[in-house]
Amino acid sequence: NVMAAYNACITEMDDMVGKVVQSLKDSGLYDNTIIIYTSDHGEHLFEHGLMNKHNMYQAAVNVPFIISYPKLFKQNVVNNSIISLIELMPTLAEIIEGKTPETAQGTSLVDVLKNGTEIKDRPVFSEFRGANYQLLSDIKNLPSRMMRKGDYKFIYTHGIIDQLYNLKEDPDELNNLIFDSKYQELYAAMRFQTLVEWSFQEYTPL
């Protein structure tokens, strides 16, 4: 049973994290230890009739991000800022009083985590290239890119119709707004921002 296996994996992960945390507490290191729990992607459990991860729906791209550092941050606080994993390096650099390279694309989350500040309207991008799509079975390096800003998410996938969703009003991503005349300006703007400087290195799928 796929759902049972999925839930078993989550339970085991939760147990293992608990053992690490308890060990840190037992050794007196917990308050001075930075613990970050996150993931490189999500996993579908039949949302949109899908399994696995090879798309830009929320089940695949909305990853967990939990950080604990009792010495500096309040515990058990939820912050709804939309962030990306590129924030990790500048955040850790600031915590250890290191230097963030000028070329870093991310932004430090220390102020967010210390003071509960919420980041507003920061665009977040995700990209993926894959193969074995039933619709385009001959393409072995199909590019897809997503832009999230505020409540809206735009998805470009090469050879497939564009998608624009209001995640607040439509969390299941069922109503594609590119056909709605009220959203044509937003659609054009987000499509441009998603594609304007998109480039990637040579890549060979496994």
Side-chain angles (χ1 to χ4, degrees):
N1 185 299
V2 174
M3 294 183 74
Y6 186 95
N7 290 326
C9 287
I10 294 172
T11 300
E12 183 179 20
M13 177 62 72
D14 187 54
D15 289 345
M16 295 303 105
V17 171
K19 288 183 178 182
V20 171
V21 169
Q22 190 58 54
S23 179
L24 288 167
K25 289 181 176 179
D26 292 344
S27 59
L29 297 172
Y30 178 72
D31 287 346
N32 195 37
T33 300
I34 304 166
I35 302 172
I36 298 173
Y37 180 89
T38 188
S39 174
D40 56 340
H41 59 80
E43 198 82 14
H44 276 272
L45 192 61
F46 304 113
E47 300 89 353
H48 292 267
L50 299 170
M51 293 176 60
N52 298 320
K53 60 189 178 183
H54 306 117
N55 59 74
M56 293 295 179
Y57 289 126
Q58 285 296 95
V61 298
N62 187 31
V63 301
F65 185 85
I66 303 170
I67 183 167
S68 173
Y69 186 32
K71 181 178 176 179
L72 190 62
F73 306 143
K74 293 180 180 178
Q75 300 293 283
N76 304 310
V77 174
V78 175
N79 190 298
N80 292 317
S81 297
I82 297 170
I83 62 167
S84 173
L85 293 180
I86 60 174
E87 268 67 87
L88 271 174
M89 185 267 283
T91 300
L92 293 173
E94 183 173 349
I95 291 173
I96 65 171
E97 299 181 358
K99 292 184 178 179
T100 300
E102 293 182 3
T103 54
Q105 294 178 308
T107 184
S108 172
L109 300 173
V110 169
D111 185 62
V112 172
L113 296 165
K114 283 177 64 176
N115 303 313
T117 313
E118 219 168 89
I119 299 174
K120 301 286 187 181
D121 294 326
R122 171 169 165 71
V124 169
F125 296 90
S126 183
E127 63 184 58
F128 176 77
R129 284 172 291 163
N132 302 319
Y133 289 90
Q134 291 183 354
L135 183 64
L136 299 164
S137 57
D138 293 335
I139 299 180
K140 301 305 178 187
N141 191 7
L142 188 75
S144 182
R145 198 171 205 228
M146 178 212 86
M147 175 184 179
R148 170 79 188 270
K149 187 175 182 182
D151 294 334
Y152 291 93
K153 180 167 76 173
F154 170 77
I155 304 168
Y156 169 86
T157 304
H158 188 69
I160 298 174
I161 195 167
D162 290 344
Q163 299 170 77
L164 175 66
Y165 300 108
N166 181 324
L167 297 178
K168 184 176 181 180
E169 297 180 1
D170 179 27
D172 294 324
E173 298 169 282
L174 299 175
N175 182 26
N176 188 353
L177 298 173
I178 68 166
F179 304 108
D180 191 324
S181 60
K182 295 185 296 185
Y183 294 95
Q184 292 308 297
E185 187 173 340
L186 177 65
Y187 169 35
M190 292 190 75
R191 190 178 203 276
F192 175 79
Q193 293 296 329
T194 300
L195 301 178
V196 63
E197 292 183 343
W198 187 19
S199 62
F200 40 73
Q201 297 173 336
E202 289 295 321
Y203 162 82
T204 303
L206 297 175

